[in-house]
């Protein structure tokens, strides 16, 4: 069988996952990245790295289960920096209504075969002693974890290169055409298949290609404490976080705190419908106040860095994964909002199966880009 040449545009965690997956299947992969290295630009460099099964709906659960499974079994060589660390997630309820929501989420997750235990009363504080004592309860997903996405992306690209892929950095793709991409150095590269994995910038690239895609920017702010300040055992997140991430977002702050294997706490997070710019210190202050509500004393820990990044959202809260309508031989994997690190390896499998004509491990239908696209 002839070897398929695949050009992947963008070496964030999604493009890196696609490169590894397609190279393993024997494709001749060329990965093109405008930045100086994989994983150092875009949302991958700004993300928290929480790997979780999100209970939003059945389709999302399946994509997260597959993504988490691949991270758990097949993360890049384990080290403090890029291995999967099983820390578990603890959703926190501050009132009875939130606890009831967590109960419903537990049922949905359990039905899908995901370990998730509802904790009420003192059992919450037995597993996480640092939490505020007036919380009503929690939901624990013990198999969730954390990844440091920038180095994980670099490691996956490294593996792809070892088995024959090529990576070119500091090169920008200006346009995608049928069978070729046009580069900013005036050259072009031909390919049997092209994968657009450019995160938020899929918007501009698809526009150049004559396809209008629904990608919306969602800025988020994070802060990180110094080493040795970790007071938590789990990634803790307040129950209301979920509502803040779905539908039309105005300006939300919700407590989400990830313990890193370096002994640091990554504290977030916020959502506003815009691209990231300068760090907004008032927003960081709101995040710290919200975190203090759930983890008393946390706002007194030394913060060594604050930053903002942009999630790429879609109009229906689902990523676009699959063949791009209107231009043959082009695929897209973008629009993962706040779950792109979790879902990247699953998206890579779906893209690989679609390009190679193999059967998908899960139903690709919910992610089909044609569901909400127009071509010009
Ligand atoms: C504050 C914040 C917290 C988050 N926390 C989590 C979390 O805890 N868990 C989770 O699962 N997800 C999280 N996310 C989401 C996650 O980070 C993203 O969904 C994911 O990183 C998207 O990866 P990507 O590869 O699609 O895009 P990106 O990381 O944006 O990568 C796109 C790449 O394409 C390159 N590129 C763009 N245009 C071109 C071009 N024309 N030519 C060549 N190269 C190009 C860019 O330079 C970039 O390297 C978070 C995001 C943010 C902002």
């Amino acid at each position: 069988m002839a070897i398929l040449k695949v050009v992947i545009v963008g070496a964030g965690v999604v493009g890196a996952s696609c490169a590894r997956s397609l190279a393993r299947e024997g494709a001749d992969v060329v990965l093109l990245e405008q930045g100086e290295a994989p994983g150092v630009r875009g949302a991958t460099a700004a993300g928290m790295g929480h790997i979780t099964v999100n209970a939003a709906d059945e389709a999302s659960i399946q994509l997260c289960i597959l993504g988490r499974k691949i991270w758990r079994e097949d993360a890049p060589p384990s080290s403090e920096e890029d291995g999967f660390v099983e820390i578990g997630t603890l959703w926190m309820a501050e009132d009875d209504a939130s606890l009831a929501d967590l109960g419903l989420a537990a049922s949905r997750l359990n039905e899908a075969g995901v370990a998730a235990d509802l904790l009420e009363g003192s059992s919450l504080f037995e597993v996480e002693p640092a939490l505020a004592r007036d919380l009503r309860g929690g939901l624990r997903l013990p198999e969730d974890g954390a990844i440091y996405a920038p180095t994980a992306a670099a490691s996956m690209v490294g593996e792809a290169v070892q088995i024959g892929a090529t990576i070119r950095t500091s090169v920008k793709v200006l346009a995608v055409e049928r069978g070729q991409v046009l580069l900013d150095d005036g050259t072009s590269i031909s390919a049997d298949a092209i994968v657009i994995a450019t995160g938020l910038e899929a918007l501009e690239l698809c526009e150049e290609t004559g396809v209008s895609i629904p990608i919306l920017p969602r800025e988020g702010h994070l802060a990180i404490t110094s080493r040795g300040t970790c007071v938590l055992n789990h990634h803790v997140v307040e129950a209301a976080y979920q509502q803040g991430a779905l539908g039309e977002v105005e300006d939300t702050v919700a407590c989400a705190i990830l313990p890193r294997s370096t002994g640091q706490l990554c504290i977030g997070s916020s959502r506003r419908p815009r691209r990231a710019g300068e760090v907004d210190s008032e927003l960081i202050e709101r995040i710290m106040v919200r975190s203090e509500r759930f983890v008393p004393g946390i706002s007194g820990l030394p913060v060594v860095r604050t930053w903002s990044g942009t999630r790429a959202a879609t109009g229906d809260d689902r990523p676009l994964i699959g063949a791009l309508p209107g231009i043959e031989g082009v695929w897209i994997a973008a629009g993962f909002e706040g779950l792109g690190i979790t879902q990247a390896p699953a998206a890579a499998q779906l893209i690989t199966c679609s390009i190679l004509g193999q059967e998908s491990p899960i139903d690709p239908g919910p992610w089909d880009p044609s569901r909400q696209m127009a071509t010009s």
Side-chain angles (χ1 to χ4, degrees):
M1 202 175 75
I3 293 176
L4 205 70
K5 181 167 178 184
V6 184
V7 165
I8 300 169
V9 190
V13 69
V14 173
S17 300
C18 290
R20 184 179 74 164
S21 174
L22 281 154
R24 281 178 174 178
E25 290 296 321
D28 173 13
V29 171
V30 178
L31 180 59
L32 303 172
E33 167 57 44
Q34 66 183 357
E36 56 284 11
V40 299
R41 283 227 190 168
T44 299
M48 216 178 217
H50 180 212
I51 305 299
T52 186
V53 178
N54 184 284
D57 60 46
E58 180 53 30
S60 175
I61 289 175
Q62 293 306 325
L63 195 62
C64 289
I65 289 176
L66 182 60
R68 189 182 72 173
K69 180 171 182 287
I70 300 171
W71 280 122
R72 287 178 63 88
E73 295 173 357
D74 198 15
S78 186
S79 74
E80 190 183 49
E81 286 293 287
D82 62 15
F84 175 90
V85 185
E86 185 185 79
I87 50 170
T89 301
L90 193 55
W91 289 89
M92 305 172 291
E94 58 177 336
D95 52 37
D96 289 339
S98 308
L99 190 57
D101 287 345
L102 292 184
L104 293 174
S107 306
R108 278 200 297 278
L109 290 166
N110 291 156
E111 268 169 35
V114 177
D117 335 303
L118 204 60
L119 304 173
E120 293 181 66
S122 62
S123 55
L124 178 65
F125 312 115
E126 280 160 23
V127 301
E128 201 57 88
L131 298 185
R133 294 292 149 152
D134 64 337
L135 296 181
R136 302 290 298 153
L139 174 65
R140 186 161 68 123
L141 280 72
E143 293 170 4
D144 282 358
I147 273 283
Y148 187 60
T151 52
S155 296
M156 287 190 287
V157 172
E159 184 191 323
V161 168
Q162 259 185 357
I163 50 179
T166 305
I167 176 159
R168 285 183 58 188
T169 54
S170 305
V171 61
K172 182 169 174 142
V173 172
L174 297 180
V176 172
E177 295 179 348
R178 189 173 168 180
Q180 67 170 357
V181 295
L182 310 182
L183 309 182
D184 62 351
D185 62 4
T187 63
S188 62
I189 301 178
S190 61
D192 302 305
I194 298 163
V195 181
I196 297 177
T198 49
L200 188 68
E201 287 161 85
L203 189 62
E204 289 85 7
L205 198 52
C206 286
E207 256 167 30
E208 283 300 319
T209 306
V211 181
S212 169
I213 59 164
I215 295 272
L216 312 161
R218 277 204 191 144
E219 174 220 62
H221 274 62
L222 297 175
I224 193 158
T225 61
S226 58
R227 287 177 182 243
T229 54
C230 185
V231 292
L232 294 168
N233 303 317
H234 301 80
H235 174 95
V236 298
V237 53
E238 67 167 293
Y241 180 93
Q242 183 69 15
Q243 286 89 53
L246 298 175
E248 283 197 17
V249 165
E250 284 303 319
D251 177 348
T252 62
V253 166
C255 170
I257 309 170
L258 179 80
R260 296 216 60 90
S261 54
T262 50
Q264 296 171 283
L265 290 171
C266 187
I267 304 174
S269 81
S270 60
R271 280 182 165 78
R272 295 192 293 197
R274 62 173 77 167
R275 287 174 191 252
E278 296 283 298
V279 170
D280 178 343
S281 54
E282 279 178 26
L283 196 52
I284 293 286
E285 180 56 26
R286 282 173 58 200
I287 290 171
M288 297 311 287
V289 167
R290 194 65 193 152
S291 302
E292 182 73 22
R293 157 73 188 98
F294 291 89
V295 186
I298 196 167
S299 60
L301 297 177
V303 167
V304 290
R305 190 165 82 90
T306 56
W307 70 94
S308 66
T310 316
R311 307 172 185 92
T314 60
D316 63 2
D317 300 316
R318 288 182 176 182
L320 309 167
I321 309 168
L324 195 65
I327 173 164
E328 207 180 309
V330 180
W331 280 257
I332 185 168
F336 295 86
E337 221 277 354
L339 284 169
I341 300 170
T342 300
Q343 296 174 341
Q349 275 209 357
L350 294 184
I351 291 286
T352 301
C353 290
S354 176
I355 291 176
L356 300 180
Q358 299 170 351
E359 196 180 331
S360 283
I362 58 172
D363 177 13
W367 325 108
D368 184 346
S370 67
R371 70 187 187 273
Q372 44 167 247
M373 277 191 187
T375 51
S376 60

